[in-house]
Every structure is written in C-alpha cells, then in structure tokens.
Amino acid sequence: MDKIWNLTLNSGGKWSGVIGAGKQIRFTALEDGANLSMLLYHARNIAERYNMPDTLKAQHTNHLTKGNVLMSDNGRVLASIIEDDLGWHDTISGYTTRAQTNAKYGVTRYQDIRNDWLRCGEENFTMELVRSGLQKRDLVPNVNLFSKVTCDKSGQMHFHEDHCQKGASVTLRTDMDILLILSNTPHPLDPKTDYPSVPVRMEVLPGAPVTDNDICVTHCPENLRAFENTWEYQLLALPN
C-alpha cells in the first residue's frame, strides 16, 4: 500500500494536523519502550472530541487494542484500531506535566540548552491546541500508544516496562475527519530516571471502505450503534 505521507517523531517531539476520514495511520516504535500520547478531536466541530469514559464503558475495557474504537462525546466513531502488534494501549494514566518532568529528570530550560530541553506532554499538547484555536481548557484524557498499565486488586497501577519492543506497530483508521495531536513524551508512570528517547514513525496510508463484517463494527453492539451514528452524520453532513 503506497504511503500518502510519513513523519518520524523524535524524543520530545509533537505534531498536530487534520487527517480526513477513510485513511489509515500506522505508528511504529523504532526502539524498545516507546510511548506516544494522543488526543483526537472532530475536525469539523472541535467541540466534539474523544471521550474516554464512553469509549471504555461501551466496550467493557480499560485499554484499547485491535477491534476497539475511539468514541466521541456525541457517540460517534472518530477512529478505529484495525491492526495491533501489542494488544494493549493505555487509556487511564494521562500525560506528563512540567512538575513531574522536572522532578524525575531534572530541571531544564530552552533558554539554557535550546532544543535539548526536556518536554512534557501537557505543554506539547497545549501548544498544538493553540495552533488550532483551542486552549489548555480543551485538554481531554489521552491515549498512550505502545504502553501497558494494569491495576491490582488494591487499585495500584503498574507500568509494564517490557511491553513495547522495537518494530511494534499499531494502525488506526480514521472514521471521521479528525484533528490529531501527538506528543512523543515519556509515560507518566515510566520508572526510568533517564528521559526516554524512542523515536516513532507515523505513516498515513489510503484506507478501504468499512464493511458490515469489519472487526471494529462487530466487536460489540455498542460499536455498531456508534458506527450507525457516524454513518448517519456523514450521510447528512454538508459538503466541504
């Protein structure tokens, strides 16, 4: 399948852009231990965005993998996971803040070391939101691709350090026009004391039409209803 576009996000890197419906986005870890934090918004109406509680409760899960969809707060499907080497992507741990980053890795400032300063997820997300006319209050729960976090019976969260191996990939299908925001910053529960530096390759590829027996459509009845809401919206939407 011919690539439409590709990009490598290096350590601390960020990116945002609009990707139209019906495309595939493949993310590949270029070293062990990747973490790519992700936000999604509906590009035509950015008041509609990824809703973590509805996504998880509708699909009876606390993590995402192949067959799962990322639902909006209007009950529609923003994107679907159609391929996945890992079987688990974290949805519950959030993103790093400036205070966390300074405390774990040491205080760094752009004014002192320029582009070698250590970025955090919150600042990366906020800067990219501003580019699209949004602001910090528009931050929502994110997805941490390539990371696995489990909870024990006492409610303690555990980060699995060896979860992501070099070459692991996950592919999303865009089911609506989306504003995608990415931050290649450490997972907030990663115990490493050195700032992780794992590049991630992003490729946008042509997609294929969604069929009635699509694994994401048939995953559960709630997914089918979300797709029906999406198809209705697309059928009735005004042209570009």
Side-chain angles (χ1 to χ4, degrees), residues 54-122:
D54 286 354
T55 294
L56 301 185
K57 71 182 181 183
Q59 297 176 96
H60 311 285
T61 185
N62 75 337
H63 63 276
L64 299 176
T65 185
K66 182 177 179 178
N68 290 138
V69 302
L70 289 85
M71 296 182 186
S72 78
D73 42 18
N74 284 352
R76 296 190 277 252
V77 181
L78 293 170
S80 311
I81 300 179
I82 59 172
E83 296 293 342
D84 181 21
D85 292 340
L86 291 167
W88 192 299
H89 300 273
D90 170 50
T91 62
I92 60 176
S93 303
Y95 40 78
T96 52
T97 65
R98 173 50 48 199
Q100 290 172 327
T101 302
N102 288 350
K104 183 180 287 189
Y105 309 113
V107 176
T108 59
R109 301 192 320 148
Y110 174 80
Q111 292 86 344
D112 297 327
I113 54 177
R114 298 297 188 263
N115 288 331
D116 290 331
W117 77 297
L118 304 181
R119 280 82 163 181
C120 71
E122 183 179 38

Side-chain angles (χ1 to χ4, degrees), residues 99-159:
Q100 290 172 327
T101 302
N102 288 350
K104 183 180 287 189
Y105 309 113
V107 176
T108 59
R109 301 192 320 148
Y110 174 80
Q111 292 86 344
D112 297 327
I113 54 177
R114 298 297 188 263
N115 288 331
D116 290 331
W117 77 297
L118 304 181
R119 280 82 163 181
C120 71
E122 183 179 38
E123 291 170 343
N124 275 358
F125 281 151
T126 301
M127 285 188 280
E128 294 305 309
L129 284 169
V130 169
R131 293 177 187 272
S132 294
L134 298 168
Q135 51 188 298
K136 190 173 182 179
R137 70 178 184 181
D138 294 298
L139 280 167
V140 294
N142 65 300
V143 176
N144 288 309
L145 296 175
F146 302 108
S147 290
K148 180 176 182 178
V149 172
T150 55
C151 297
D152 61 27
K153 292 183 179 180
S154 68
Q156 294 297 311
M157 299 168 70
H158 300 279
F159 180 81

